[in-house]
Structure formats: C-alpha cells, structure tokens
Amino acid sequence: GNDPVNIHKLGIAVLDQLKGSGNQPVFIRCDQNVSFGAFARVVDALKQANLTNLNIVTEPLETKSGS
C-alpha cells in the first residue's frame, strides 16, 4: 500500500499484506530524491523479515533535450 509504516514494523506489515508468504514479489518504489541510506534501510528491514522477492521501481531520469 501507500500508507506510511514505521521502519521497525515494515517487515511485519508487508508480511501481513502478503498473508505470510515471503516469496511473493514486493515492489519498492523510489526515485532520485530518496537517499541511498533510506533505500538500504528499507531493503534491510524487508530482508530481515525473510522477504526474498524484492523488486525496485524507479522514476525515469529527466534528460535534457537537444543533445
């Protein structure tokens, strides 16, 4: 979902959404404004909950036209 979740409860919240199945795909949406440290904490929290099928969804980079 899109609801905010405390990072310490993230793994449990995602597992609840997946009804306990840790091998279902989990999509992490982020863009260039997200720090690598924040992204790494999210991935680590999910891995600690034994979620194994993590996928990253990013926003396309903005490019300057005319080059």
Side-chain angles (χ1 to χ4, degrees):
N2 291 318
D3 298 327
V5 177
N6 182 300
I7 190 72
H8 301 291
K9 298 178 181 178
L10 182 62
I12 293 169
V14 173
L15 277 173
D16 285 347
Q17 288 287 317
L18 299 177
K19 299 182 178 26
S21 177
N23 62 351
Q24 289 187 16
V26 174
F27 294 91
I28 305 167
R29 183 176 57 209
C30 61
D31 62 24
Q32 62 191 12
N33 295 318
V34 175
S35 72
F36 179 76
F39 172 77
R41 284 189 296 276
V42 168
V43 170
D44 185 54
L46 296 173
K47 286 187 172 186
Q48 291 292 323
N50 294 317
L51 293 157
T52 57
N53 192 354
L54 304 179
N55 300 278
I56 305 164
V57 179
T58 61
E59 295 288 327
L61 293 174
E62 293 182 24
T63 59
K64 294 181 181 178
S65 61
S67 33

